[in-house]
Amino acid sequence: HIAPSPWQYWNTANEVVISTLSPTPVTVTLKKSDGTLLTNLTVIESTPQSYRFAGTIAASPRNQINQIYNDRGLIIEASAPVLVNYRNIASDVAGATTTTIKGNASLLSFGEEGEGFEFRVGYYRTNFQGLSGGQPVYSVMAIQNNTTVTLPAGPIVLNSGQSYLFEAPIGSLVTADKKVVMTVGSYGDTPQACGGSGEDGTVDQLAPISSLGDKYMVVRGEGAVGNGATHPEQTLI
């Protein structure tokens, strides 16, 4: 189960890459969260599959906060374990704006480890300068009917496959009486100027508290260097 991003998945700027460690064929089904079938695929260890969604960017307005959606999440089922990577590859193509979708971004699905009852929301930085809308956008999606989700602004009730996008301070607690999945992202993020329109969307899956640990490794990256750029990579702990 993958909760919605700030943008819709259903256009050609989005794709899912599926792979497996199985040496025998694995059947994979992709559905919208309301159960609408998207496609069936077959993967084996030596042959990953990439599926590009249909639809135009301009016809896919971004998801709005404080609204319940029925079909904005993604459900992937397989006959054996698979690995799932969702990719936004909009970049600066025509029609890609913060009112629709911006690229590039990538999300690695946690699978069942991403399902949980309690989450602490967070983003990769606390200075929101240059962030479209001025705040990160969080998304929660129910897996079962009649799921009560308690947000910082109060409780909401979601049925299976329904989702809700919202804003909240970093560190806020989100709880549910049945398992849910969550993502965090932004419509457009400009920690520094880049080419084209100077914006890129972000998206990542939030891990539930039950999947968190107490030892972490942070690897220093090179950040942006050359051409006068002085902005390093940013890590929030």
Side-chain angles (χ1 to χ4, degrees):
H1 292 79
I2 300 177
S5 297
W7 52 83
Q8 292 194 55
Y9 295 136
W10 324 127
N11 57 63
T12 56
N14 299 277
E15 66 178 351
V16 171
V17 179
I18 301 175
S19 58
T20 182
L21 299 177
S22 173
T24 57
V26 177
T27 301
V28 183
T29 300
L30 277 69
K31 299 183 293 184
K32 293 184 178 181
S33 58
D34 66 350
T36 301
L37 177 66
L38 294 168
T39 191
N40 292 304
L41 303 172
T42 300
V43 297
I44 59 175
E45 183 178 17
S46 60
T47 312
Q49 292 284 349
S50 175
Y51 175 75
R52 185 79 61 88
F53 296 108
T56 63
I57 298 174
S60 303
R62 71 186 193 182
N63 296 322
Q64 301 295 317
I65 62 172
N66 305 326
Q67 180 174 332
I68 293 177
Y69 289 106
N70 294 323
D71 64 347
R72 301 300 168 88
L74 179 63
I75 298 176
I76 300 171
E77 300 173 336
S79 59
V82 292
L83 299 92
V84 177
N85 177 223
Y86 155 75
R87 298 175 182 175
N88 156 21
I89 53 176
S91 192
D92 295 319
V93 299
T97 70
T98 55
T99 60
T100 51
I101 181 174
K102 285 299 298 177
N104 296 310
S106 178
L107 178 152
L108 179 65
S109 173
F110 296 159
E112 293 180 352
E113 293 300 315
E115 302 173 4
F117 298 97
E118 296 181 312
F119 296 78
R120 290 283 181 183
V121 301
Y123 195 62
Y124 80 98
R125 60 187 177 110
T126 55
N127 179 352
F128 299 149
Q129 181 178 358
L131 201 64
S132 177
Q135 293 284 333
V137 176
Y138 303 103
S139 164
V140 59
M141 186 175 79
I143 298 173
Q144 301 179 57
N145 288 334
N146 298 315
T147 299
T148 299
V149 182
T150 302
L151 306 172
I156 60 170
V157 177
L158 300 175
N159 286 322
S160 176
Q162 288 187 326
S163 55
Y164 188 84
L165 285 76
F166 62 97
E167 297 173 347
I170 283 182
S172 296
L173 179 65
V174 175
T175 63
D177 64 346
K178 300 174 184 176
K179 285 187 175 182
V180 297
V181 291
M182 292 194 65
T183 60
V184 56
S186 70
Y187 299 113
D189 190 335
T190 57
Q192 72 171 80
C194 63
S197 61
E199 296 178 288
D200 283 306
T202 61
V203 63
D204 203 357
Q205 186 167 3
L206 288 173
I209 290 177
S210 59
S211 294
L212 300 182
D214 54 16
K215 293 183 179 179
Y216 295 86
M217 177 182 294
V218 179
V219 180
R220 182 190 297 273
E222 293 182 358
V225 295
N227 298 323
T230 58
H231 301 291
E233 295 177 358
Q234 301 180 62
T235 301
L236 176 64
I237 300 177

